[in-house]
């Protein structure tokens, strides 16, 4: 148990412990030119990741016909949410939604980092065995020779659901033996979808930490097993970061210029931290100090807020302060944060806030009624942040992290929640 005596009478910690909604404005932020040194990655690393995804585009288009319209690039639309803004009563600035719920292949933000990590692993194996070169045609990765190579290898991951979908679907499509270790809060339909794709799913009665520990243990005993480590992976982080450069182009196409007079506020649902951390890093590279990155977490699972606020990062879990880590936002049901992301981004994140499950469902219904979007509860955490940040000329962007693949009967249950 970590020593929290210094926070005994701390009002923010008292609200966190009591599972009450809280908004903490980070007093430790620094200009990004200074904070960049915390990350250990650079703009060129993100550019390399973008170039890798471009090399894979012909294979992606071939393997997943639903990406034909984007020529094999896995990307989501940007929506101006005027009807939602009016219905919600927010008059300040412009509200946009980054609809990662519509990302092809696996239907969530995890399609970015998860698929990217599997692709970079496949690329390294194929290059090592002389099946491709970086100037060649990556459609060869769908050849019998490539599938024979990949079939000797396993790709494994621990997941609450969406990362498992992206890793499992992509790995199985390439021909890897794919194994996803899923925590108790993972939705049954996600397990069923993985099994239908040929993925081996392991189920646990514990939470995310147990699933990840089991995945790591499997990888340690198998030299041909590649474990995707959501807590520490630079590859996942870079795959997520690529999104920001594409978003900047989408804003430019919409006639929106982000600058000091028109800043950008981005609301990012956060679980272990890899997805929102990578996106926030990319956003800082794209927009500098004109973007304000804000993390949203459930009141029972505020692991990143807890880690950054106390400075303990992965050395503290929500269970250590009496929270139960149970939430309808299954993708955010993580008790212990990524130490890598916390330390890398702690001076670049402007604020953190927590939200109750009941508010997630209120936003889920309102977004569906006004914009016709299909989101899962975890994807609605970003909307709750709008009340905390007012700026008459700002652009407010909620990152909608998943939902399009939720079965209709499950989505109907979400809409009926009180």
């Amino acid at each position: 148990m970590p020593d929290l005596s210094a926070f005994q009478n701390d009002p923010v910690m008292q609200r966190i412990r009591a599972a009450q909604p809280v908004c903490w404005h980070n007093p430790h932020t620094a200009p990004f030119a200074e904070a960049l040194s915390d990350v250990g990655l650079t703009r060129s690393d993100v550019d390399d990741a973008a170039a890798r995804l471009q090399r894979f585009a012909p294979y992606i288009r071939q393997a997943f016909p639903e990406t034909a319209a984007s020529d094999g690039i896995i990307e989501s639309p940007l929506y101006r949410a005027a009807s939602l803004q009016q219905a919600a009563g927010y008059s300040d600035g412009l509200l946009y939604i980054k609809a990662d719920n519509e990302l092809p292949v696996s239907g969530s933000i995890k399609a970015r980092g998860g698929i990217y990590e599997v692709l970079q692993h496949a690329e390294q194996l194929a290059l090592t065995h002389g099946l491709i070169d970086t100037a060649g045609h990556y459609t060869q990765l769908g050849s019998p020779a490539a599938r024979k190579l990949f079939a000797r290898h396993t790709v494994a991951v621990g997941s609450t659901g969406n990362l498992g979908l992206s890793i499992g679907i992509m790995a199985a499509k390439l021909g890897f033996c794919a194994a996803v270790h899923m925590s108790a809060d993972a939705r049954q339909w996600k397990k069923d979808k993985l099994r239908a794709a040929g993925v081996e799913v392991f189920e646990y009665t514990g939470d995310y930490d147990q699933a990840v520990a089991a995945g790591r243990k499997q990888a340690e005993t198998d030299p041909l097993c590649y474990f995707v480590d959501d807590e520490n992976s630079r590859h996942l982080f870079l795959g997520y970061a690529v999104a920001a450069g594409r978003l900047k182009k989408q804003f430019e196409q919409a006639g929106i210029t982000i600058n000091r007079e028109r800043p950008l506020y981005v609301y990012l649902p956060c679980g272990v931290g890899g997805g929102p951390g990578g996106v926030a890093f990319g956003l800082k590279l794209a927009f500098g100090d004109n973007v304000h990155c804000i993390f949203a977490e459930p009141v029972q699972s505020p692991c990143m807020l807890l880690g950054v606020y106390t400075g303990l990062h992965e050395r503290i879990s929500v269970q250590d302060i009496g929270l139960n880590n149970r939430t309808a936002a299954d993708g955010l049901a993580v008790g212990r944060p990524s130490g890598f992301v916390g330390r890398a981004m702690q001076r670049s994140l402007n604020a953190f806030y927590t939200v109750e499950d009941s508010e997630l469902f209120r936003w889920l219904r309102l977004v569906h009624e006004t914009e016709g979007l299909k989101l899962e509860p975890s994807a609605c955490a970003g909307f709750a942040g709008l009340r905390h940040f007012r700026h008459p000329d700002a652009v407010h962007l909620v990152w909608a992290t998943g939902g399009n693949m939720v079965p209709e009967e499950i989505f109907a249950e979400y809409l009926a929640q009180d």
Side-chain angles (χ1 to χ4, degrees):
M1 177 73 70
D3 181 8
L4 296 174
S5 57
F7 299 93
Q8 185 174 356
N9 298 313
D10 183 278
V12 173
M13 182 62 76
Q14 287 175 351
R15 292 187 67 85
I16 296 173
R17 284 182 185 273
Q20 296 175 346
V22 63
C23 181
W24 177 59
H25 295 259
N26 184 5
H28 307 299
T29 56
F32 186 61
E34 177 184 336
L36 177 62
S37 61
D38 299 343
V39 184
L41 297 168
T42 66
R43 186 182 302 274
S44 64
D45 293 315
V46 179
D47 291 342
D48 286 346
R52 178 170 288 108
L53 289 169
Q54 191 64 53
R55 292 197 297 272
F56 269 99
Y59 169 77
I60 294 293
R61 177 171 180 159
Q62 179 185 78
F64 299 100
E66 63 267 36
T67 66
S70 59
D71 204 23
I73 296 297
I74 297 174
E75 193 45 72
S76 69
L78 175 69
Y79 294 132
R80 169 75 174 98
S83 297
L84 173 63
Q85 185 171 1
Q86 182 178 14
Y90 293 102
S91 58
D92 289 350
L94 301 174
L95 176 60
Y96 281 83
I97 296 174
K98 181 58 174 163
D100 273 10
N101 58 300
E102 297 183 16
L103 280 173
V105 183
S106 66
S108 83
I109 188 174
K110 301 298 185 178
R112 299 184 182 282
I115 289 173
Y116 174 76
E117 175 134 6
V118 175
L119 293 179
Q120 68 81 28
H121 178 56
E123 181 184 56
Q124 292 306 309
L125 285 174
L127 288 169
T128 299
H129 289 80
L131 295 178
I132 58 170
D133 61 68
T134 54
H137 296 286
Y138 274 38
T139 52
Q140 289 289 351
L141 292 171
S143 69
R147 293 186 65 82
K148 183 178 179 181
L149 168 64
F150 297 147
R152 300 199 301 267
H153 296 260
T154 297
V155 174
V157 67
S159 174
T160 59
N162 285 341
L163 181 63
L165 278 176
S166 67
I167 297 292
I169 290 172
M170 189 70 250
K173 177 65 73 170
L174 282 160
F176 287 102
C177 296
V180 178
H181 300 260
M182 304 192 86
S183 53
D185 40 51
R187 303 295 179 184
Q188 186 61 47
W189 70 265
K190 295 180 182 181
K191 300 172 189 176
D192 294 341
K193 190 172 184 65
L194 282 167
R195 289 183 172 119
V199 178
E200 187 172 12
V201 177
F202 299 88
E203 301 182 55
Y204 300 90
T205 57
D207 66 4
Y208 173 82
D209 280 353
Q210 182 182 353
V212 171
R216 284 200 183 103
K217 186 174 181 180
Q218 179 197 39
E220 289 169 359
T221 61
D222 182 357
L224 297 182
C225 180
Y226 180 86
F227 179 66
V228 179
D229 188 345
D230 195 11
E231 296 176 35
N232 301 297
S233 173
R234 269 65 173 169
H235 296 302
L236 284 176
F237 193 82
L238 290 170
Y240 297 125
V242 170
R246 297 174 181 176
L247 173 67
K248 187 175 184 179
K249 291 179 181 177
Q250 288 177 318
F251 273 134
E252 291 169 352
Q253 292 166 358
I256 299 294
T257 300
I258 302 301
N259 52 37
R260 187 173 181 178
E261 289 70 37
R262 176 173 269 180
L264 175 63
Y265 287 76
V266 182
Y267 307 90
L268 292 152
C270 178
V272 75
V279 169
F281 176 58
L283 288 169
K284 286 294 185 179
L285 289 173
F287 301 105
D289 295 324
N290 296 319
V291 63
H292 303 269
C293 299
I294 300 140
F295 278 12
E297 297 178 283
V299 292
Q300 288 287 352
S301 306
C303 67
M304 187 59 70
L305 166 58
L306 186 62
V308 173
Y309 187 72
T310 62
L312 293 171
H313 301 293
E314 79 283 3
R315 290 174 291 153
I316 189 170
S317 74
V318 301
Q319 291 91 341
D320 290 334
I321 62 167
L323 298 177
N324 62 30
N325 194 31
R326 298 193 189 111
T327 171
D330 57 294
L332 310 183
V334 178
R336 191 179 302 275
S338 163
F340 156 58
V341 173
R343 292 182 178 88
M345 299 301 296
Q346 60 188 342
R347 293 197 293 162
S348 298
L349 301 174
N350 295 84
F352 301 76
Y353 67 89
T354 60
V355 56
E356 295 177 314
D357 282 5
S358 58
E359 187 168 3
L360 300 180
F361 288 113
R362 287 198 297 272
W363 279 106
L364 186 148
R365 287 192 296 273
L366 188 59
V367 173
H368 185 63
E369 291 166 1
T370 58
E371 303 295 336
L373 296 183
K374 183 180 177 184
L375 304 182
E376 58 186 341
S378 59
C380 297
F383 296 100
L386 295 173
R387 69 176 179 271
H388 296 300
F389 301 89
R390 298 283 184 169
H391 190 297
D393 300 312
V395 175
H396 297 272
L397 176 69
V398 176
W399 214 282
T401 50
N404 250 29
M405 291 188 176
V406 174
E408 291 300 329
E409 64 275 15
I410 302 297
F411 189 67
E413 292 177 7
Y414 290 158
L415 292 174
Q417 291 287 330
D418 294 329

